[in-house]
Amino acid sequence: VIIEDEKKKANKLIWTPSTNKNSTTTQLNCVVRVVNLTSQQKVRAIAICSSHFFIHIFKGVLSICDDFFEAPTSELIEELYNAFNSIDLSKLPNLNPIQRWCQRPNQCRDATQDFATTCIYKNKKHEIFIPVVLFPDEIGDCSVLSLVRRFKLNVLHIFNGILLQKKVVFTLGGPADAKATNDDLTNSVLAACCLIAPPLQGIINRAYPIIPLCLLKGNCYIAGIAEEFDPNEFTDYWDILCNLKTNTVTVRVESVTKYSALDKVFYEKVNFYATGDFGEGEIRATFQNYTKHLLELIYYNFPSEEINATAPIFALSAFGKDHLASEVTANDLRIKEFKNGPLFSIFDTDARELTKCLRFSEPHILIPLIHKLYKKSTSEKELIEIFPQIQAKIISLEHFEDLLYFLPFSEGGLAQVATGLLHSATKVRKLTAELLHHFDKLNPGKLYSDHLNMYFAKLQQNVLATK
């Protein structure tokens, strides 16, 4: 059953990244239901194929196809085709990349994250919920958290292997009694994509959840191999080998091992979320923001006119020049290796497209001002001058959304601004509370209220109430 591209029917176009701009073919994503009819000694299957990246939402819809498995006919296929392609997506929210970042599930727990619609089949309505904040490479209801818990520290090898665009292979080879299934294989491949996407797009085009070893080609992919094979005999097919039955990772690329060691401090944060009472959203955001920062370092040495024209560089203003210089030096080979790979041109194009989505003026001036708010080195006099400047530039909900992009929730979100509520100077505390109140007024639906925790929210009210 092919689901046609609803973008042709919708009143608003759904945002898509640059990965498809030069493509001459349409990539189809598939979800399959297989039924083993033991009594008839038959296996029957039906697949839904669509260019929509939220294909996993149709897994539940496949449960309405029981009559097909009992007596498959071309008429039933036609009915299913018409039912699925009649799903109304015309009111699906058209979020740009910045809005998607700001409204991620872990960042905005109180917002409505799913678009509700229905599929009508056999005169019955079946509810469908479409996630509106996912990016195109986030396909399937996979779990990064499970991947981290399975491989622990070795997940850094997988992360760096994908970032450096190596051949990453997941396999089921191992003891026969070890627990690992084809579902684990598929979920691991899709979860591995989500270690770096977003912000990096295009990796899903090189992901193969289950594929025969003999069909693997190229130097950059993430693949799941269900068949048994001797890794020592087929070394040309893998750089990083991840065994789901033994939970081990074997690395054949020295640079991957080197940078995994460099990322151990980052892993401490990952492990904190993986072993604590946290969910999938927090662990994904941790990887994605770290990836975003590493990719932003690419722009550090660009000429000044390019710096002012490229969104990623604005986020770097939170770090001192000496710290950035040392980070660039430490990551020099990693940066060069990524830039020489096939995914860099996609990232560079997306980064510049993201810049065009910014709605406030002069971000290269505004963002450094924001970052100064929570630096200990910023004097009281400077703070008193900064608050009115920020308030004068953030004058709409769109401006506020742009601001939140540069203050990721996993790094504290608005708490990075709200720290002024704890300042020793009464004037600074008052200006901080007034700025946060100004943000509240721009945000009437409280869509982003979760960016400020309850402690700071209460503190803000107390400061505003103090004469």
Side-chain angles (χ1 to χ4, degrees), residues 203-223:
I203 194 63
I204 197 67
N205 299 327
R206 299 170 182 271
Y208 309 96
I210 294 184
I211 186 174
L213 187 68
C214 62
L215 294 183
L216 283 178
K217 295 179 181 179
N219 296 314
C220 169
Y221 51 71
I222 310 170

Side-chain angles (χ1 to χ4, degrees), residues 10-204:
N11 294 329
K12 296 181 179 179
L13 289 180
I14 300 170
W15 173 82
T16 54
S18 61
T19 48
N20 295 325
K21 287 183 179 178
N22 300 318
S23 177
T24 57
T25 60
T26 299
Q27 175 172 313
L28 288 180
N29 303 307
C30 302
V31 60
V32 182
R33 182 185 175 194
V34 180
V35 172
N36 188 355
L37 302 172
T38 308
S39 60
Q40 302 178 34
Q41 294 184 335
K42 293 180 180 178
V43 174
R44 286 180 178 150
I46 187 169
I48 298 180
C49 305
S50 173
S51 59
H52 292 306
F53 56 87
F54 46 77
I55 187 68
H56 62 281
I57 64 135
F58 293 104
K59 286 173 68 175
V61 180
L62 281 177
S63 64
I64 71 177
C65 303
D66 288 343
D67 50 354
F68 168 82
F69 292 101
E70 294 170 5
T73 65
S74 58
E75 288 78 15
L76 278 178
I77 289 292
E78 185 176 353
E79 281 189 73
L80 287 168
Y81 177 89
N82 291 331
F84 292 151
N85 282 288
S86 297
I87 297 172
D88 184 11
L89 300 183
S90 62
K91 295 181 181 179
L92 185 67
N94 180 30
L95 303 183
N96 67 37
I98 288 177
Q99 290 170 319
R100 289 175 190 245
W101 273 107
C102 294
Q103 295 186 33
R104 303 290 285 177
N106 66 298
Q107 300 188 12
C108 194
R109 294 180 181 86
D110 295 331
T112 300
Q113 297 299 329
D114 294 328
F115 170 75
T117 186
T118 57
C119 173
I120 301 176
Y121 179 67
K122 300 288 186 182
N123 296 320
K124 289 184 179 180
K125 287 186 177 181
H126 303 270
E127 286 191 320
I128 294 176
F129 298 94
I130 300 174
V132 299
V133 295
L134 295 185
F135 283 77
D137 280 44
E138 296 180 284
I139 292 180
D141 49 354
C142 55
S143 172
V144 173
L145 187 57
S146 295
L147 191 73
V148 172
R149 287 173 174 169
R150 179 186 289 272
F151 291 109
K152 299 182 172 59
L153 184 60
N154 284 332
V155 76
L156 293 180
H157 295 327
I158 302 172
F159 169 76
N160 277 293
I162 298 170
L163 189 62
L164 297 177
Q165 299 156 87
K166 303 301 180 184
K167 294 175 283 190
V168 179
V169 169
F170 289 86
T171 178
L172 295 176
D177 58 345
K179 293 182 179 180
T181 65
N182 284 352
D183 282 345
D184 296 325
L185 200 61
T186 299
N187 289 331
S188 295
V189 170
L190 295 176
C193 294
C194 294
L195 294 176
I196 65 168
L200 190 58
Q201 303 300 318
I203 194 63
I204 197 67

